[in-house]
């Protein structure tokens, strides 16, 4: 194989690798954007307040620990703010 043909094959190989890497970066960027768009659906205020009431009852009855209660309460409150 002559030198010119070998160099051309190396250039083409490098070009294909670069294109593949670019495509992978693009797919990762699209996947990240799609994951960011998957926010929980906004619930109406009465629904969230009803869920908070159930959460308070569960905590009062000792069905859940304080840490879980606080975490879930914050998630529900965020739905009200959002």
């Amino acid at each position: 194989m002559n030198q010119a043909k070998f160099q051309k094959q190396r250039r083409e190989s490098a070009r294909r690798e670069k294109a593949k890497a670019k495509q992978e970066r693009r797919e990762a960027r699209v996947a990240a954007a799609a994951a960011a768009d998957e926010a929980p659906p906004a619930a109406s205020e009465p629904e969230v307040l009803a869920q908070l009431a159930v959460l308070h009852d569960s905590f009062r009855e000792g069905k859940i620990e304080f840490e879980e209660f606080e975490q879930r309460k914050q998630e529900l409150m965020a739905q009200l703010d959002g």
Side-chain angles (χ1 to χ4, degrees):
M1 178 182 319
N2 66 20
Q3 187 68 19
K5 187 174 181 179
F6 177 74
Q7 289 175 348
K8 182 177 180 180
Q9 286 178 340
R10 297 297 298 161
R11 285 192 308 270
E12 289 297 314
S13 176
R15 184 190 58 79
R16 284 190 301 271
E17 289 175 12
K18 184 178 178 182
K20 182 179 176 183
K22 183 177 180 180
Q23 180 66 27
E24 289 172 353
R25 287 192 309 270
R26 183 180 301 132
E27 289 171 357
R29 195 169 46 246
V30 168
D37 289 342
E38 292 178 3
S44 67
E45 185 174 338
E47 291 174 348
V48 173
L49 293 176
Q51 291 174 352
L52 276 169
V54 169
L55 183 64
H56 278 274
D57 291 341
S58 296
F59 176 67
R60 196 175 316 122
E61 294 170 2
K63 294 180 181 176
I64 59 173
E65 296 292 322
F66 180 74
E67 291 80 17
E68 182 180 355
F69 168 75
E70 281 295 315
Q71 178 184 3
R72 291 173 56 190
K73 182 176 89 171
Q74 291 301 321
E75 291 170 359
L76 290 171
M77 296 300 285
Q79 288 182 9
L80 282 178
D81 294 340

